[in-house]
Structure formats: structure tokens, C-alpha cells
Amino acid sequence: MIPRITIAQAGAHVGESVQIAGWLYNLRRSGKIAFPILRDGYGLMQCVAVKSALPEALFETIRNLTQESSIIVTGKIRADERAPGGFEMDVENLEVVQRVPESDPYPITPKDHGIEFLLEHRHLAIRGLRAHAILGIRHEVIKAVRDYFDSHGFTLVDTPIFTPAACEGTTTLFEVNYYEDNKAYLTQSGQLYNEATAMAFGKVYCFGPTFRAELSKTRRHLREFWMVEPEMAYATLEDVKRVAEEMLVFIVGRVLENRREELKRLERDVTRLEAIQAPFDRMTYDEAIEILHQKGSPIQWGDDFGGTDETLLTQDRQRPIMVDRFPASFKAFYFEPAADRPDVVLGVDVLAPEGYGEIVGGGQRIHDLDLLLQRIEQHKLPKEAFQWYIDLRKYGSVPHGGFGMGIERAVAWICGIEHIRETIAFPRTLYRWAP
Ligand code: 4AD
Ligand code: MG
């Protein structure tokens, strides 16, 4: 029996005949020899098919293979320093599972395609080396996030997608017809439910898709994105900052440990990632405004940061910055005000360096019943829909807090890529919700 292996396992089979199932990535050939490059999802393998060593019909089949045809190759693994993965395979047999016809060839050729074309063909473009590297790093980031929380006393309690009310403001809600004439909204954040489950478990996190009817077309905005959100009972803003910092250092460390190949393929400057160590720089919103004024920004106290402000704040820094104590005026209803200054709230944003901007947002929540009722009224939110949330302030209310990290923003920063649409297999942006 010839063993079936993946390209990643080739090193353990040097000198043996093995079988690898995959797709034809590329083909170079001459009259007497052909070099099909095999792709199997784990790597690339250059195969060598020599005419004199193979039955004539088989050699002709190999010579005439088309890009992305599915094939199963049998052959002997040979170590070769010059080969891309360090190994080559001498072809002994090759089975064509499906041949892509010349009349309708694979649309993504090795030449450069425009981004619009690649997004339209995203279902195929994800087979490319660049997408493979980015999505592999995404997997690593998600695994690291889960490992971090699982090993620090957090329980995963996932929160609903259909919700009766807004968490992050009503302007970006997606409305759905839930039942007869009853409306529901796609969740913007699991936070409010996390606040309930934290009172049951102490420390929790949820991790799932979130939805925002964003009208912005920036490189940082998707309409559907994945967010991990921890929440902790008996916690303050300082606890939230410490956990966010520790988690980010852990994630970057894991990617450096396990995804060097992918980072290299993306030409990521890894010294920028190696510099991500605690402590991050900390500043208040007031201090950030002062720095922005020195750098010539027209921002006024009371304005939220724009993308340019975030870039100005982070561009000359090695480590992320944690900005806290924001004006209450532009923050969500649930933030706890500072005890010494009621016009600012105990929120924190973590801004990634190199101009990537906000990757984490969170803070301490209001735990006082009367203050919460007041805020719900000021923000003109429907009190009935929030009754269950208000209950949490009646039955054993405690100081608590947490944050949310958008996975795509974190991955874009770690990969050092321009636009977050490449960090998710099938991005949803303002004008694109297919394929
Ligand atoms: O700052 P945001 O809006 O905070 C919340 O939703 C809180 N309820 C989280 C919490 O405290 N549990 O969003 C949190 C993060 C942002 O820092 C950003 O990384 C990401 O979610 N994010 C987006 N990512 C991609 N596209 C968008 N449109 C995003 N909006 C927010
Ligand atoms: Mg935010």
C-alpha cells in the first residue's frame, strides 16, 4: 500500500513512494520532461515527470494538464535544497480526477489581476498563495485568542445573533423580519449578553459574527465581521486594559512562533511584530488631543478620532497605544463615567501601530441602576427592550467590564496588509455581498 500524505509531511517520507492528492498549480514542460507543480492546501510540491520513465500516454496526459485540474500524483520524494519546500517528487503515476477544459480555463492566471476581478472570483482566488497565508494567520489568531481565554479562567458563552435592541447605536442596525410583523436586529456586539453571563460565570467570552450597516467604505470597515468579546465581573477599567494588553502580546507571539512562512510570503517586517511587548503606551483622550494638535490635526475636544487621527497617533510608535477616558458625548450609553470627571467615561481603545488604528474597544460598564436608567433615557433607547439588561443592575450589580476585538482588524495589522477585506474568506462590504 502506498501511503497518502500531504505536502507538509513530505520530509518524513524521503526516498519513499507516496501519493499526494491536490490540484495543478502550474506546469512547465519541454519535449522530454514536465514539471507539474502540485498544490494540496498544505504546500506546493514540484513534481518531475520524465518521458523515458513513463508510459507514453501518461506522459502526454501530464504534458497537457490544465491549471487547477484535480490530480492524484504517485511518486518518490527526494530532498532538494533548491525546491520551494525543500523536496521534489519523481512522478511514477498520475490520476486525473477532473480535467479543466481548455475551452473554459481557470480564470485566475499567474498574471496580475485587478482587485475587483479577484473579489468577484473570491471563491477561486482563496486558492492563491497570498490568500492562503492570510487565512492561515487568521486561523492562528483565532486559535490563540481561544487558548488565551480558555487558559485564564474564561468560559465561552456565545450570545444570540437575532437581538431585540441596539448595543452600539441605532444607525448601523440591520433589521430583519423576525416573525409576522415583529422586527429583530442582527447583533452589533454580544456585550450586553456577556454582562448577563459574566454574572453567572465570573469571566466569560463570546466569539461570533457581528453586523454593522456601515456606510463607510474605508479599508477598516466590513459589514459582517467576527468579534471576540471577553467580559469580567468585579472588574475595573484597569483590569480591562491589562487583559487586552496580555491577550494581544500572546496572539502576536503565537503567530511569530507558528506562522513564519506565511509572514515571509506576505513580506511582513517581523521586527515590527517582535516589538509588540508589554507595557503598551497609555494615554488619556485629553493627552491624545494635545498630541494631535501638536501634529497639526484640526480635531476639537469632544470629537471622536477619525482614521487620520488614529494614524497620526500611532505612526511613529513601536507598540500599540491604549487611549482611555473618552468624552461621554460620542460613546455608547453603557460606559461608566469617571468618578472625578463626569464628562468623561471609562472606555479604552487600543490603537495598533503603523497606522492600523483601533483594533480593540471596551471599558467599564455602568453598574448603578439609576444612572443606567438615566442614560437609556438620554440616548432615547426603548426601555422595554432593555428591561432584562436593567434587571442586571437590580440583582447583585457589581463593577464589571470587558472589550471587543475585531478579528479582521487584528489580522490585517499582524499581516501588515492594506485592506481588511482580504482577512476574511468572503468579505461583506458596502457594495459587495457575493460570492
Ligand atoms: O468599538 P466597538 O464598536 O465596541 C463594541 O462593539 C463593544 N460592545 C465591545 C465590547 O466592549 N464588548 O467594536 C469593537 C471592535 C473594534 O475595536 C474593531 O476592532 C471592530 O470591533 N470593529 C470592526 N471591524 C471591522 N469592521 C467594522 N465595521 C467594525 N466595527 C468595529
Ligand atoms: Mg470602538
Side-chain angles (χ1 to χ4, degrees):
M1 262 301 278
I2 294 179
R4 169 81 62 93
I5 67 162
T6 68
I7 291 172
Q9 297 163 333
H13 296 271
V14 175
E16 292 173 32
S17 285
V18 297
Q19 206 174 61
I20 303 177
W23 296 263
L24 183 80
Y25 180 72
N26 205 350
L27 177 69
R28 285 190 298 119
R29 64 201 163 167
S30 69
K32 294 192 172 99
I33 193 160
F35 301 101
I37 297 180
L38 179 65
R39 172 184 77 73
D40 75 342
Y42 299 86
L44 292 181
M45 173 70 80
Q46 171 152 293
C47 305
V48 184
V50 180
K51 184 173 181 177
S52 58
L54 296 171
E56 199 171 324
L58 176 59
F59 185 74
E60 276 314 297
T61 301
I62 296 173
R63 247 184 66 80
N64 291 309
L65 278 174
T66 45
Q67 192 190 348
E68 287 301 318
S69 288
S70 35
I71 51 178
I72 301 173
V73 188
T74 306
K76 197 174 271 176
I77 302 290
R78 186 162 37 74
D80 186 328
E81 275 176 17
R82 295 157 307 168
F87 304 98
E88 279 190 351
M89 188 177 193
D90 292 319
V91 178
E92 294 165 349
N93 200 1
L94 186 148
E95 179 194 333
V96 180
V97 179
Q98 187 250 329
R99 185 173 186 279
V100 176
E102 271 95 0
S103 56
D104 190 5
Y106 189 68
I108 304 176
T109 54
K111 72 163 193 188
D112 264 356
H113 294 280
I115 181 69
E116 281 308 314
F117 181 88
L118 290 174
L119 287 171
E120 260 161 47
H121 293 85
R122 185 70 177 163
H123 52 297
L124 303 174
I126 48 172
R127 299 180 189 189
L129 293 184
R130 180 179 164 87
H132 197 273
I134 297 170
L135 295 177
I137 289 173
R138 176 190 171 101
H139 169 79
E140 193 71 42
V141 167
I142 291 173
K143 173 88 167 71
V145 159
R146 289 188 179 281
D147 286 348
Y148 175 81
F149 288 116
D150 294 348
S151 60
H152 285 79
F154 289 75
T155 300
L156 174 75
V157 187
D158 282 315
T159 52
I161 300 221
F162 288 124
T163 59
C167 177
E168 293 302 315
T170 50
T171 53
T172 62
L173 277 178
F174 276 110
E175 190 179 280
V176 284
N177 245 341
Y178 189 75
Y179 172 63
E180 292 186 341
D181 276 338
N182 298 289
K183 304 283 182 224
Y185 307 95
L186 298 184
T187 186
Q188 296 168 313
S189 156
Q191 179 198 320
L192 305 186
Y193 293 95
N194 272 348
E195 293 182 49
T197 61
M199 301 307 141
F201 286 88
K203 292 197 279 187
V204 295
Y205 70 104
C206 65
F207 180 41
T210 49
F211 306 87
R212 306 235 176 139
E214 302 273 8
L215 292 175
S216 24
K217 289 180 291 180
T218 78
R219 66 192 187 94
R220 296 172 185 170
H221 288 93
L222 293 170
R223 300 195 117 200
E224 175 180 308
F225 61 96
W226 285 66
M227 181 151 56
V228 61
E229 298 179 84
E231 190 72 26
M232 301 175 279
Y234 287 104
T236 62
L237 175 64
E238 285 312 307
D239 298 313
V240 171
K241 282 155 65 177
R242 185 181 43 76
V243 171
E245 179 181 72
E246 215 178 88
M247 177 201 72
L248 284 166
V249 171
F250 182 83
I251 296 170
V252 171
R254 270 289 180 82
V255 173
L256 283 169
E257 215 174 292
N258 299 330
R259 299 286 167 169
R260 289 273 170 177
E261 279 274 325
E262 286 85 346
L263 292 170
K264 193 169 156 207
R265 199 178 306 152
L266 297 170
E267 296 174 9
R268 181 64 166 125
D269 177 359
V270 290
T271 62
R272 300 306 299 254
L273 297 177
E274 283 158 356
I276 307 306
Q277 300 292 341
F280 295 171
D281 295 337
R282 287 157 159 81
M283 66 177 71
T284 62
Y285 172 86
D286 289 1
E287 288 163 345
I289 291 291
E290 213 163 284
I291 294 172
L292 287 170
H293 284 164
Q294 282 160 16
K295 290 180 181 258
S297 166
I299 193 169
Q300 297 291 311
W301 195 96
D303 294 345
D304 198 356
F305 300 139
T308 343
D309 297 310
E310 291 181 354
T311 303
L312 280 176
L313 283 172
T314 57
Q315 64 190 174
D316 47 6
R317 291 181 190 257
Q318 293 289 310
R319 296 179 180 187
I321 321 178
M322 299 206 269
V323 184
D324 66 4
R325 296 169 69 98
F326 287 93
S329 53
F330 64 80
K331 283 292 190 186
F333 73 97
Y334 52 70
F335 280 104
E336 173 78 2
D340 55 340
R341 254 189 76 186
D343 61 328
V344 300
V345 292
L346 302 181
V348 60
D349 279 2
V350 183
L351 311 183
E354 301 172 77
Y356 280 92
E358 180 195 335
I359 51 170
V360 164
Q364 193 176 324
R365 329 301 187 188
I366 291 174
H367 60 276
D368 179 72
L369 175 62
D370 292 332
L371 181 58
L372 181 66
L373 290 171
Q374 210 178 307
R375 284 287 207 265
I376 286 177
E377 200 166 296
Q378 279 166 4
H379 284 253
K380 300 193 171 58
L381 296 168
K383 196 172 153 197
E384 314 70 57
F386 285 93
Q387 205 51 61
W388 67 268
Y389 185 71
I390 294 166
D391 269 359
L392 303 175
R393 276 69 185 170
K394 291 200 226 160
Y395 305 117
S397 192
V398 300
H400 63 286
F403 64 83
M405 178 177 80
I407 289 295
E408 292 77 12
R409 292 224 188 140
V411 173
W413 161 55
I414 290 171
C415 291
I417 61 176
E418 176 68 18
H419 201 298
I420 68 170
R421 66 188 160 207
E422 282 190 279
T423 64
I424 187 163
F426 296 98
R428 300 292 176 246
T429 51
L430 185 52
Y431 297 125
R432 183 178 294 289
W433 54 97

